Amino acid sequence: MRCLAPHPAGSYLSEPQGSSQCATMELGPLEGSYLELLNSDADPLCLYHIYDQMDLAGEEEIELYSEPDTDTINCDQFSRLLCDMEGDEETREAYANIAFPEELPADLKHWKPVPSSSSSLSCLNLPEGPIQFVPTVSTVPQGLWQISGTGTGVSSIFIYHGEVPQASQVPPPSGLTVHGLPTSPDRPGSTSPFAPSATDLPSMPEPALISRANVTEHKTSPTQCQAAGEVSNKLPKWPESVEQFYRSLQDTYRAEPTGPDGILMEVDLVQARLERSSSKSLERELATPDWAERQLAQGGLAEGLLAAKEHRRPRETQVIAMLGKAGQGKSYWAGAVSRAWACGRLPQYDFVFSVPCHCLNRPGDVYRLQDLLFSLGPRPLVAADEVFSHIVKRPDRILLILDAFEELEAQDGFLHSTCGPALAEPCSLRGLLAGLFQKKLLRGCTLLLTARPRGRLVQSLSKADALFELSGFSMEQAQAYVMRYFECSGMTEHQDRALALLRDRPFLLSHSHSPTLCQAVCQLSEALLELGEDAELPSTLTGLYVGLLGRAALNGPPGALAELAKLAWELGRRHQSTLQENQFPSADVRTWAMAKGLVQHPPGATESELAFPSFLLQCFLGALWLALSGEIKDKELPQYLALTPRKKRPYDNWLEGVPRFLTGLIFQPRARCLGALVGPSATAFADRKQKVLARYLKRLQPGTLRARQLLELLHCAHEAEEAGIWQHVVQELPARLSFLGTRLTPPDAHVLGKALEAAGQDFALDLRNTGIDPSGLGSLVGLSCVTHFRAALSDTVALWESLRQHGETELLQAAEEKFTIEPFKAKSLKDVEDLGKLVQTQRTRSSSEDTAGELPAVRDLKKLEFALGPISGPQAFPKLVRILTAFSSLQHLDLDALSENKIGDEGVSQLSATFPQLKSLETLNLSQNSITDLGAYKLAEGLPSLAASLLRLSLYNNCICDMGAESLARVLPDMVSLRVMDVQYNKFTAAGAQQLAASLRKCPHVETLAMWTPTIPFSVQEHLQQQDSRISLR
């Protein structure tokens, strides 16, 4: 029988008179009859607590299963309490007077005392099924039977026969009120949003040890929101004002966006981390895992937040950051989190507050915490003081979303402020943010931030509790979005035509992984298709935005677009995207910009605040100002392309899209670019600026640029659409291109492939740690000009498998022939496992009837390094040994690592068994591997198999003593090809050194024997060196 009841020791009901004595009662044997105890003033729950603690002495832990508003207690304890009470004669007589309802089920009528092994005890034989304590029941609902008695000290006992219905399945009966009974605040317990605050609870004895059962949170679809709300209204109540605020907050966030803005495309959430951009730099940037190594947040946003919350430290503020480039949909994702909570998919939070950070960028204002929660969101909320008091009592049930965290760079001092404000103390927004991030305000809440992965503030997020990256659309998702867009716009007849327009522009299709750009493409396609069937999309981003702004610019006041462009540039220099209405040069310009959608009121902003609808539009307008302005000196213009070292740039490239747009605006034909925006008369400075930029770009040497700068140069040359610049750039590309550690997005892969094709020469590419997607990798590998490439083993094997499944035999053969892993360095267990998968692929390939022969990557590997360290090294080395024989051309095997691999004697023994198959091995480095005499003996046994090939052998810094030195000396004359042997820093003495020296005299082919070690007297070493100059003591 399973008994359900609130944990008595942790019960937080109102304390009856006398319960405080129970709380401090010392545990010990009971005195008096049980009837006397029942008739006393003692709380019956405390009576059970005594038995609970007595039982703990014999058990290590009582396992409680967490369910909504109930906990599971040990049934044996409860039954023992009943048994002891039944054993008392007077108590049995009292029970005889208890009135049972007539409708009591038949199986409950057969309760009877059962003799116990103890002569003084008997117990009740209860039928199998759950028993649940309910603290207050005004009326007896159907399914409950009441057992009551006088003089027992217990008002009534209710028995429910059958399974206890869950709150999420069956609403509680009318009139039944069940108050939440959470466990101790520092222990996991019920996640009911109606559980009272720990600060409101009386002091109670320490509850028994508990362990939380696995609880799965079920998703609630948006269509179930109304039903969930109806059920929640029947659950135990908060104060009425709190209930009203809760419902109004749900209504605020539940509203779905309408039109194209409401198109929902599920994208992957990837677990992320920040790392230093270089060994000499303190700046951090997003790490770039290979495609197959990405760790996806399983289950989407709701499960990701739930998993992060379960790993939090008790009563500590948790910081979760969602990173992504501009236009990746971070703000939309933040809104989706709020809607998910309003629809019941985030039950771990009672309240969610979403605040756009541009609303917080007000240095001069003074606020309180309630202003941040209630007044600065998308819609101001009305909340009484009682609501605020209720919220701050349970900060662990609060989720605070700060969207566009980079907007707070003007307030960056709050991260390092020495102190934060008190709870009710008015302060500046900087002080308020300091209190939140320094865990002095709402300590224990969850802070969810969305931000771009660059800037000063993002550097501090490396210590966040959880980091996620929002990936963009896949190729299939981008095309699905186009179909949905025209469906929502009521233009279903143009769906296929719009999709064909996008497919005809592979460059724009690659850029459609950004939701913002995908929407911009749809908007331009919609406008073009309305004009006629001969529509055609531009081939550059510059052309895309010229097409979007062209008609709006021509219909505006004179010079309006140039004035708006100047505002965009000035705001970008200050790292801002919002502006005040009074910043416009005239009311006509403001009215025109708002009417054309070039600026708009952002969510949560005041009536006087405006913002650009997208960051890329602000970048385009900023570039337009640089192209038109006479205030920018011509000689300074090349510095804004961000292709020079940082110390020479006059600004920090916050508007990161400016370089590409600037080259496009300057070099593309005037009639369809600058002239289409501002008219031919306003482009007087453009010709002179074009000459300056052309001279600068043609002087650049692409081979000297870093990978990121080279990609930016390729994008600029593509946007320019100027044949001379494009030819100069592609013809100067080096034959070996390494993008190791540089992220390659779909647009990067596309423009790189286009440049390689135009270069007219062969290339070798290093694509490791670039995060390139499978389609981008396949497109680059399939180019005839790419003769060799390196990529992550896991990504490459996955590409081969995909090509094999799709029957692309020619591309598969090319991908196998071009792939190389030379040289290969294993730095993790995964590297060894991936290498094993590659060898397994070769063995499978060799056994196939369709293909034969070795994989070139395996066949041609000449150098293999193993550097896993002392922990992973001994575990991974046996896996490496099992595949070593597959590398028939292996010449250099390096098992040395700065942190020591410590493969030991066992590892050497396993390695020696492979020597007969390693016919080409020339260098064997076994330094710093904890090899003793036994390992040296095993090595000496296997070395003759390498006599014809081995040139260099290193046993530096091991534990070889005289016996090991003797084993090596014995085999040394047989190593006819050996030229260098290093046994320095071992533990053999003068005796071992003399044996090696004597053996060396029989080996005229050996050029150097390095054997200095502190265990040999220096005089002996000098004497041996004088006898044979080939002995090195360095």
Side-chain angles (χ1 to χ4, degrees):
M1 182 182 68
R2 186 179 180 212
C3 301
L4 301 179
H7 195 286
S11 175
Y12 304 118
L13 297 172
S14 300
E15 242 184 328
Q17 185 177 2
S19 63
S20 59
Q21 286 86 352
C22 176
T24 57
M25 185 185 301
E26 292 189 8
L27 302 180
L30 298 174
E31 297 181 2
S33 68
Y34 290 103
L35 183 59
E36 290 175 352
L37 289 173
L38 288 174
N39 288 329
S40 69
D41 293 332
D43 189 343
L45 292 179
C46 296
L47 180 66
Y48 166 72
H49 178 68
I50 296 175
Y51 271 80
D52 180 53
Q53 296 298 322
M54 291 171 62
D55 189 68
L56 278 176
E59 297 182 21
E60 294 182 1
E61 178 175 338
I62 299 173
E63 184 172 349
L64 303 186
Y65 295 85
S66 176
E67 297 193 8
D69 297 326
T70 61
D71 289 331
T72 304
I73 66 171
N74 191 303
C75 182
D76 294 336
Q77 295 176 347
F78 182 69
S79 299
R80 191 180 303 116
L81 175 62
L82 293 179
C83 291
D84 291 352
M85 294 171 62
E86 185 65 13
D88 185 273
E89 174 118 17
E90 294 182 42
T91 307
R92 285 200 304 270
E93 294 177 2
Y95 276 125
N97 297 326
I98 296 179
F100 285 81
E102 294 180 358
E103 65 272 20
L104 193 65
D107 55 354
L108 290 182
K109 294 180 180 179
H110 292 88
W111 287 12
K112 59 182 179 180
V114 178
S116 174
S117 58
S118 174
S119 59
S120 62
L121 296 178
S122 64
C123 67
L124 293 175
N125 183 17
L126 302 180
E128 184 175 355
I131 291 179
Q132 179 168 336
F133 281 123
V134 181
T136 305
V137 180
S138 57
T139 61
V140 181
Q142 183 178 2
L144 294 179
W145 294 272
Q146 182 175 8
I147 303 175
S148 60
T150 59
T152 61
V154 180
S155 60
S156 58
I157 299 176
F158 294 88
I159 300 175
Y160 183 90
H161 182 60
E163 288 191 13
V164 179
Q166 300 301 315
S168 61
Q169 299 171 349
V170 181
S174 175
L176 177 61
T177 304
V178 182
H179 299 286
L181 295 171
T183 58
S184 179
D186 59 343
R187 301 177 185 273
S190 172
T191 58
S192 168
F194 302 98
S197 168
T199 58
D200 294 336
L201 307 176
S203 176
M204 297 298 289
E206 177 68 13
L209 296 175
I210 64 174
S211 63
R212 181 173 181 176
N214 293 328
V215 180
T216 303
E217 301 290 353
H218 298 281
K219 283 189 176 181
T220 305
S221 64
T223 59
Q224 296 172 307
C225 293
Q226 184 175 358
E230 293 175 359
V231 173
S232 65
N233 291 338
K234 298 180 181 179
L235 293 174
K237 302 291 184 181
W238 286 322
E240 184 61 28
S241 60
V242 179
E243 287 279 3
Q244 292 179 357
F245 178 79
Y246 174 78
R247 287 192 292 269
S248 66
L249 192 62
Q250 280 188 319
D251 294 339
T252 299
Y253 292 131
R254 188 176 291 150
E256 294 278 354
T258 58
D261 290 337
I263 299 176
L264 177 63
M265 303 295 296
E266 292 290 341
V267 296
D268 293 331
L269 297 183
V270 183
Q271 296 183 23
R273 60 185 176 87
L274 294 174
E275 63 180 11
R276 288 188 177 182
S277 55
S278 66
S279 58
K280 299 181 180 180
S281 174
L282 296 179
E283 290 189 3
R284 296 180 180 271
E285 58 184 20
L286 269 178
T288 307
D290 293 313
W291 186 263
E293 293 180 355
R294 300 182 312 154
Q295 297 180 0
L296 302 182
Q298 299 296 333
L301 60 94
E303 285 72 12
L305 289 174
L306 182 62
K309 185 176 178 69
E310 289 179 348
H311 292 87
R312 71 186 304 170
R313 292 173 293 178
R315 297 187 296 276
E316 284 295 330
T317 298
Q318 186 180 41
V319 179
I320 303 173
M322 171 60 64
L323 304 179
K325 284 191 173 183
Q328 292 294 91
K330 300 183 296 297
S331 296
Y332 186 88
W333 185 86
V337 173
S338 304
R339 286 193 297 276
W341 169 79
C343 293
R345 294 199 296 271
L346 296 178
Q348 66 268 36
Y349 301 111
D350 289 348
F351 298 95
V352 171
F353 300 96
S354 181
V355 182
C357 286
H358 63 77
C359 300
L360 306 180
N361 204 0
R362 303 169 183 171
D365 296 337
V366 175
Y367 292 95
R368 296 175 300 167
L369 178 59
Q370 47 264 58
D371 297 323
L372 174 66
L373 299 180
F374 305 141
S375 303
L376 298 178
R379 299 178 186 173
L381 302 168
V382 178
D385 292 340
E386 182 182 21
V387 175
F388 179 71
S389 299
H390 179 89
I391 290 173
V392 298
K393 288 177 182 177
R394 288 299 303 271
D396 59 307
R397 307 281 299 173
I398 303 300
L399 172 63
L400 177 58
I401 304 173
L402 298 179
D403 184 29
F405 188 58
E406 67 276 354
E407 294 279 354
L408 297 179
E409 286 198 357
Q411 312 279 354
D412 62 347
F414 69 83
L415 291 174
H416 310 289
S417 179
T418 56
C419 62
L423 185 64
E425 178 183 347
C427 61
S428 65
L429 279 170
R430 177 177 294 184
L432 195 61
L433 293 170
L436 284 172
F437 282 89
Q438 296 174 18
K439 305 177 182 180
K440 297 179 181 180
L441 291 180
L442 283 182
R443 181 171 183 176
C445 72
T446 300
L447 289 176
L448 176 59
L449 316 174
T450 68
R452 297 178 205 149
R454 57 174 301 173
R456 295 191 299 271
L457 288 182
V458 177
Q459 305 303 318
S460 63
L461 295 182
S462 59
K463 297 182 179 179
D465 298 281
L467 276 175
F468 296 99
E469 182 182 3
L470 193 64
S471 61
F473 289 164
S474 65
M475 202 74 71
E476 295 75 15
Q477 286 177 322
Q479 298 181 56
Y481 180 89
V482 174
M483 301 293 285
R484 292 284 305 279
Y485 178 92
F486 282 89
E487 180 183 341
C488 294
S489 301
M491 302 176 64
T492 54
E493 68 276 8
H494 293 312
Q495 285 179 321
D496 295 336
R497 178 60 179 151
L499 202 55
L501 290 179
L502 180 58
R503 289 171 177 167
D504 288 341
R505 290 289 184 256
F507 180 71
L508 290 184
L509 182 58
S510 68
H511 267 291
S512 294
H513 86 290
S514 166
T516 296
L517 280 172
C518 191
Q519 187 180 55
V521 170
C522 291
Q523 291 171 348
L524 183 57
S525 300
E526 181 180 7
L528 293 176
L529 289 173
E530 288 178 348
L531 297 177
E533 290 295 329
D534 296 333
E536 188 178 51
L537 287 173
S539 58
T540 63
L541 286 182
T542 305
L544 174 65
Y545 276 89
V546 168
L548 288 173
L549 272 64
R551 287 189 295 176
L554 295 178
N555 297 331
L561 186 60
E563 294 292 344
L564 186 63
K566 183 178 181 179
L567 282 176
W569 173 252
E570 291 175 348
L571 288 172
R573 294 295 299 269
R574 298 195 298 268
H575 295 191
Q576 295 176 0
S577 59
T578 59
L579 65 159
Q580 300 295 322
E581 289 184 350
N582 57 14
Q583 292 181 259
F584 284 90
S586 67
D588 291 340
V589 174
R590 182 182 70 247
T591 303
W592 165 79
M594 294 181 64
K596 298 300 182 181
L598 301 180
V599 293
Q600 60 189 17
H601 289 290
T606 62
E607 294 183 359
S608 62
E609 284 184 328
L610 296 169
F612 297 98
S614 73
F615 179 72
L616 284 177
L617 176 59
Q618 184 179 359
C619 291
F620 178 80
L621 292 173
L624 179 61
W625 168 248
L626 290 178
L628 298 176
S629 174
E631 300 177 11
I632 305 297
K633 296 180 180 180
D634 294 341
K635 64 179 182 181
E636 295 179 355
L637 196 63
Q639 299 176 357
Y640 292 99
L641 295 186
L643 300 177
T644 52
R646 180 178 297 271
K647 62 182 180 180
K648 296 183 180 180
R649 290 207 305 266
Y651 79 116
D652 58 2
N653 194 32
W654 189 78
L655 294 173
E656 55 189 5
V658 163
R660 304 179 191 183
F661 286 131
L662 179 59
T663 52
L665 290 169
I666 291 293
F667 286 100
Q668 288 189 20
R670 296 283 181 270
R672 61 182 175 88
C673 194
L674 273 180
L677 292 174
V678 296
S681 60
T683 61
F685 297 102
D687 292 336
R688 192 168 66 236
K689 292 179 179 181
Q690 185 183 88
K691 294 179 181 179
V692 172
L693 285 183
R695 187 165 54 250
Y696 168 74
L697 291 173
K698 290 181 179 180
R699 287 178 179 176
L700 285 176
Q701 298 179 357
T704 63
L705 298 178
R706 295 178 181 177
R708 185 72 260 168
Q709 295 170 336
L710 176 60
L711 289 173
E712 191 65 31
L713 175 61
L714 291 176
H715 278 287
C716 290
H718 174 81
E719 290 291 329
E721 291 189 330
E722 208 277 333
I725 293 176
W726 178 254
Q727 287 299 320
H728 166 74
V729 171
V730 299
Q731 290 177 2
E732 293 293 325
L733 291 175
R736 300 183 65 86
L737 288 171
S738 175
F739 297 95
L740 178 65
T742 301
R743 179 162 302 201
L744 288 178
T745 63
D748 294 333
H750 175 83
V751 75
L752 175 61
K754 184 180 177 181
L756 296 179
E757 282 186 303
Q761 61 172 323
D762 293 338
F763 292 96
L765 302 180
D766 189 349
L767 304 175
R768 292 173 295 167
N769 294 91
T770 59
I772 188 172
D773 65 343
S775 62
L777 179 61
S779 64
L780 290 177
V781 169
L783 297 176
S784 59
C785 58
V786 175
T787 57
H788 297 87
F789 79 96
R790 292 200 68 175
L793 284 173
S794 51
D795 289 351
T796 306
V797 172
L799 174 65
W800 291 345
E801 184 62 29
S802 175
L803 295 175
R804 186 177 293 108
Q805 291 177 358
H806 289 83
E808 300 184 45
T809 307
E810 293 184 4
L811 185 56
L812 172 61
Q813 183 178 358
E816 290 178 345
E817 293 293 332
K818 297 175 182 180
F819 181 60
T820 178
I821 58 174
E822 170 67 25
F824 186 83
K825 184 174 184 178
K827 296 185 289 186
S828 67
L829 181 60
K830 185 180 183 302
D831 291 338
V832 178
E833 293 173 347
D834 288 344
L835 194 62
K837 292 178 182 177
L838 181 65
V839 172
Q840 182 61 34
T841 300
Q842 172 183 275
R843 291 169 178 169
T844 304
R845 181 177 182 268
S846 299
S847 61
S848 173
E849 296 180 359
D850 299 331
T851 57
E854 296 178 313
L855 284 172
V858 177
R859 181 193 62 210
D860 299 335
L861 179 65
K862 294 180 173 58
K863 183 176 182 180
L864 175 59
E865 297 181 58
F866 180 83
L868 270 70
I871 298 177
S872 301
Q875 300 174 7
F877 188 70
K879 298 181 179 180
L880 179 66
V881 170
R882 286 195 290 269
I883 61 175
L884 268 181
T885 56
F887 305 106
S888 56
S889 300
L890 187 64
Q891 298 178 357
H892 189 134
L893 180 58
D894 190 347
L895 304 179
D896 183 16
L898 292 178
S899 55
E900 303 184 12
N901 289 312
K902 294 188 176 180
I903 65 173
D905 297 334
E906 180 64 25
V908 171
S909 178
Q910 296 172 359
L911 178 63
S912 300
T914 67
F915 287 166
Q917 286 78 38
L918 301 180
K919 299 295 186 180
S920 302
L921 191 63
E922 298 178 352
T923 301
L924 177 60
N925 188 351
L926 293 170
S927 302
Q928 305 187 107
N929 275 294
S930 302
I931 301 172
T932 66
D933 288 344
L934 178 60
Y937 175 78
K938 294 291 184 181
L939 179 65
E941 283 186 334
L943 281 177
S945 301
L946 301 175
S949 63
L950 192 64
L951 300 177
R952 291 167 289 274
L953 173 63
S954 177
L955 292 164
Y956 173 87
N957 195 18
N958 280 288
C959 304
I960 300 174
C961 299
D962 289 338
M963 292 183 61
E966 181 182 355
S967 300
L968 295 174
R970 190 164 51 247
V971 75
L972 190 57
D974 298 332
M975 306 301 295
V976 294
S977 63
L978 189 65
R979 297 294 180 266
V980 178
M981 182 174 177
D982 188 350
V983 290
Q984 294 184 96
Y985 287 92
N986 278 277
K987 297 185 178 180
F988 53 83
T989 63
Q994 290 172 352
Q995 294 185 60
L996 285 171
S999 180
L1000 180 63
R1001 288 192 289 270
K1002 304 175 185 178
C1003 305
H1005 51 275
V1006 176
E1007 298 175 357
T1008 302
L1009 175 61
M1011 67 173 186
W1012 184 92
T1013 181
T1015 55
I1016 305 175
F1018 185 71
S1019 58
V1020 174
Q1021 297 186 60
E1022 277 193 327
H1023 176 70
L1024 294 176
Q1025 187 182 37
Q1026 290 173 358
Q1027 291 182 335
D1028 196 328
S1029 60
R1030 294 176 296 172
I1031 296 177
S1032 173
L1033 301 180
R1034 292 184 299 173

